[in-house]
Amino acid sequence: MAVGQFYLSCLVLGSLGSMCILLTIYWVQYWRGGFAWDGSVLMFNWHPVLMVAGMVVIYSAASLVYRLPRSWVGPKLPWKLLHAALHLMAFILTVLGLVAVFSFHNHNKITNLYSLHSWLGIATVFLFACQWFLGFAVFLLPWASMWLRSLLKPIHVFFGASILSLAIASVISGLNEKLFFSLKNDTNKYSSLPSEAVFANSLGMLVVVFGLLVLYILLASSWKRPEPGILTDRQLLLQLRPGSRSFPMTYKPVTVRQPCEPW
């Protein structure tokens, strides 16, 4: 039951994540004039798209790698590599998003990092960078002892969820800030709720719903990878082929101790 619910949740999340990216692209293409890489306001338009794609959607996909039921059994190294690669992809897109906004500000003589949104965003990216390098050094490279990994794992997990929460807050504040700056003439005020404001506000709510669902899956105990060295009933179910009669219809959860976690 838990496996089926997880894959259904993945389908829903994949659809919501794709919608977040596509609707952000549509917003800046239809209402904000499209894209360019020349220091103009059209270059700024890359910023929301890259940040939503990198810091929210791809970051979430990387965070959920260890919730995949197939990662519960077998060697953990391929899943570690996928986890690190997706986070690296998210980080690269995030850096490009920062380049877009800083280049736009510098080209137009606009002060950098003056708003609460920019402070929150930079803090999120800084924590993300520290999180990735710590994870790469301690959990991917083979030098760290199991004692050190066990000590740092709860911290790593906590900051993983915290960074996603901060990224969502940054996106929401960024959307709101952009609308305040753009919708300020008498015929198209933000306070009059024009169509662009309705669309962008709805996009922000969609990002919030997506992020909350990701956080729920991350915190749901039934979808967490079993602890190292323990073979649970969920792993046994995955190891059995569909339709196999070697597993009884009624069973009790089995716990089998293994010497160590597979590398």
Side-chain angles (χ1 to χ4, degrees):
M1 179 64 70
V3 174
Q5 290 177 347
F6 176 82
Y7 282 121
L8 178 61
S9 300
C10 283
L11 179 61
V12 173
L13 282 177
S15 301
L16 289 178
S18 299
M19 288 177 61
C20 288
I21 298 174
L22 293 176
L23 291 180
T24 306
I25 294 173
Y26 180 81
W27 171 48
V28 298
Q29 182 69 46
Y30 184 78
W31 275 288
R32 299 290 101 216
F35 302 93
W37 199 266
D38 55 3
S40 68
V41 68
L42 300 183
M43 184 174 182
F44 173 87
N45 289 341
W46 282 107
H47 177 67
V49 173
L50 292 172
M51 302 310 275
V52 169
M55 282 300 301
V56 176
V57 178
I58 298 179
Y59 182 93
S60 297
S63 300
L64 293 174
V65 162
Y66 292 128
R67 298 299 183 267
L68 291 171
R70 292 308 305 169
S71 73
W72 297 345
V73 295
K76 194 176 180 180
L77 181 58
W79 303 103
K80 287 185 177 183
L81 293 173
L82 179 60
H83 181 72
L86 287 174
H87 273 311
L88 180 60
M89 183 186 304
F91 186 72
I92 292 173
L93 292 179
T94 299
V95 170
L96 290 175
L98 291 179
V99 169
V101 69
F102 275 92
S103 296
F104 164 70
H105 281 188
N106 294 335
H107 184 267
N108 293 275
K109 304 297 188 295
I110 300 174
T111 305
N112 290 305
L113 302 177
Y114 64 87
S115 66
L116 178 59
H117 162 69
S118 61
W119 288 20
L120 183 61
I122 285 296
T124 304
V125 175
F126 175 76
L127 288 175
F128 183 19
C130 295
Q131 173 86 339
W132 192 90
F133 284 112
L134 176 65
F136 179 82
V138 175
F139 297 103
L140 188 60
L141 298 181
W143 68 270
S145 65
M146 290 301 297
W147 174 85
L148 179 60
R149 294 182 182 184
S150 298
L151 178 66
L152 294 179
K153 181 180 177 181
I155 300 174
H156 188 70
V157 172
F158 168 77
F159 276 102
S162 299
I163 290 167
L164 176 59
S165 302
L166 291 172
I168 294 170
S170 299
V171 168
I172 299 305
S173 61
L175 286 172
N176 206 31
E177 182 178 290
K178 181 61 177 178
L179 291 174
F180 273 122
F181 286 158
S182 301
L183 304 178
K184 57 185 179 181
N185 59 62
D186 292 336
T187 60
N188 200 33
K189 284 185 177 181
Y190 186 25
S191 59
S192 65
L193 201 64
S195 57
E196 181 181 358
V198 173
F199 185 90
N201 287 348
S202 301
L203 170 61
M205 293 302 297
L206 183 65
V207 171
V208 170
V209 171
F210 174 81
L212 290 177
L213 288 176
V214 172
L215 291 173
Y216 174 77
I217 292 178
L218 288 175
L219 296 175
S221 59
S222 60
W223 291 333
K224 290 182 180 180
R225 178 185 171 93
E227 290 299 321
I230 299 178
L231 183 64
T232 67
D233 57 326
R234 293 180 294 162
Q235 292 172 301
L236 292 173
L237 282 171
L238 288 170
Q239 290 176 340
L240 290 174
R241 292 176 299 176
S244 173
R245 297 184 179 180
S246 60
F247 197 81
M249 293 299 293
T250 59
Y251 64 96
K252 296 180 179 180
V254 179
T255 300
V256 179
R257 295 286 176 180
Q258 295 176 339
C260 62
E261 178 183 5
W263 171 249

